[in-house]
Amino acid sequence: MRGAWITLACLLGAYVAFSRFRAWRRLAHIPGPKIAGFTDLWLIYKTWRGSLFEDLGEVCKRHGPLARIAPNHVVCGDPREVRRLWAVRSQFDRAPWYKGFRLDPPNDCTLSMCDADIHTALRAKLAPGYGGKDIVGLHEHIDEGIARFVKLLEDKYLSTPDQVVSVDFSRKVQYMTLDIISKIAFGEAFGFMDNDADFFRYIKTTEDTIPMMQMFALVPWLVDILQGPLGKSMMPTERDAFGLGPIMATAKRVVAERFGEKKVDKPDMLGSFVRHGLDQREAEAESLVQIIAGSDTTATALRTIMTHVMTNLDVYRRLQAEIDQGIAEGRISTPITDAEARKLPYLQGCIKEGFRIWPPITGVMPRISDEDATVCGVHIPAGTNVAWSAHAALRDREVFGADADFYRPDRWVRATEEEYRLMDNSVDLCFGSGRWGCLGRPVATIELNKMVPELLRRFDFAALNTERPIVNKFHGVLIQQDLVVQITKRA
Ligand code: HEM
């Protein structure tokens, strides 16, 4: 009997070794960390540790623009190639990794949909709303949210010459973006700023959940189990008092008003979705997507811009001077309009550098093709996951210059038209691209164009943790904490 067990164990061991060897050999022509050729654990570990952004950049620096990062994953760090892979007519589609982001398995939403045709049809129903043309009051909702935020800071968090009041700006900023996006999505703000608290632990829950989701997404069989009947009991529901639950409950309630016999039609984002043919379940899911995809990302971009502005005196002075001068010359209204902000070159440079240095989404976002392909001049067999390295692509020295590792808004101000276009094409990748690109980009752009000037025209900011102004964790989504600042009112 014992002999039979030993034989079985040996056979199993030989099978595992042989299948690992076969998987390794398939992409053996692509360099990369040695261990990554045999196991997914390298990639999973980096995701869990929160260093994925830097580590993938390091891999591309060491092994070239195309490197292997798992038995069936390669990473591309050349921004021009990434753009080609993500283009509308590319042979690559979303890889099964995206299924890990289903909000209501087995149903898909825009974030998780891999089938290109179904996705395109869904996107056509969403695009008019996201584009803003169908929505009345989009700019006003954003202005109201910023004004509420200004009031919160003025009421509770101003430092004076007699006393420093420290405030964790990273949290407060997210209260603002959550209230703004909920107003846009549901017509009612959640009230984070009124409560001045993460009052149903939404932020804490998402910060805890994101690293898990990003790790699980790398293991498709685990995703299948978690999204099957067994795992579904662990998924959030609208009955939960904390985390995503209250947001799901709001989505259900608000969406229900738009369907049925007494349905109401409003000129808002949800109204646009419904008018363009979303059914009730889809409308609930896509409203949730707005909150999940559109609050933390914008908050991260704002935190990153403010952190770099606050910690670089030259940048700070020049940005504030551009805003002050615009106000003095009557080129900036109260509140600033999106069109006015677009005409401020240094502000635009500050915003673009923010996306470039620490992009809010740095996950692998792999694409897959059912035919063989060539990427960076290297043969890629069909069925290989091709990820991107945001770090390598957004700090490419050929595109951004020898100081690509540094935050320098001037590179945008001084660039020739051709240089600007090349840099812009690369920074655009922060929002995805082509048929899968971010639908909320116009909304996020308006928000940032307004938020930065509205804050810097009224207040001065100073980072108080001078040793480490902010804590960044790159788990595929950038999680930021502890941007502790002092805020003073400007004369
Ligand atoms: C700074 C802010 C933002 C960044 C950096 C960002 C980035 C991204 C990225 C990288 C993707 C995935 C693209 C891909 O899979 O290739 C995405 C998708 C998406 N984002 Fe954003 N996003 C931001 C703000 C927003 C906002 C404010 C909203 C909602 C109002 C939003 C809604 C969406 C939606 C619906 C998708 C799915 C698009 C699709 O699959 O067709 N995003 N975003």
Side-chain angles (χ1 to χ4, degrees), residues 86 94 97-98 109-113 119 123 126 130 181 184 269 286 289-291 293-301 355 359-361 365 367 388 429-433 435-441 443-445 447-448:
W86 293 358
R94 273 183 176 167
W97 176 85
Y98 279 89
C109 59
T110 34
L111 291 176
S112 66
M113 188 89 72
H119 180 264
R123 225 177 129 92
L126 300 170
Y130 273 111
I181 202 69
I184 293 169
M269 192 88 98
E286 295 307 327
V289 166
Q290 278 179 283
I291 309 297
S295 56
D296 192 30
T297 44
T298 315
T300 300
F355 280 116
I361 310 276
M365 300 203 293
R367 301 297 197 265
W388 83 310
L429 297 172
C430 295
F431 287 94
S433 176
R435 62 187 164 202
W436 313 101
C438 175
L439 278 163
R441 185 176 178 172
V443 175
T445 306
E447 288 185 85
L448 292 169

Side-chain angles (χ1 to χ4, degrees), residues 273-293:
F273 294 170
V274 176
R275 280 194 300 283
H276 287 91
L278 243 59
D279 67 29
Q280 192 162 349
R281 190 199 59 72
E282 287 172 330
E284 282 169 13
E286 295 307 327
S287 304
L288 274 186
V289 166
Q290 278 179 283
I291 309 297
I292 291 166

Side-chain angles (χ1 to χ4, degrees), residues 206-220:
T206 43
E207 282 178 352
D208 292 345
T209 317
I210 282 169
M212 298 289 189
M213 285 183 90
Q214 293 275 337
M215 280 192 315
F216 292 153
L218 293 165
V219 191

Side-chain angles (χ1 to χ4, degrees), residues 188-199:
E188 51 187 74
F190 288 136
F192 280 88
M193 287 191 283
D194 288 344
N195 284 276
D196 193 15
D198 182 13
F199 66 113

Side-chain angles (χ1 to χ4, degrees), residues 397-410:
R397 291 184 183 191
E398 278 181 30
V399 177
F400 295 100
D403 63 352
D405 280 333
F406 300 102
Y407 183 91
R408 184 169 66 85
D410 248 338

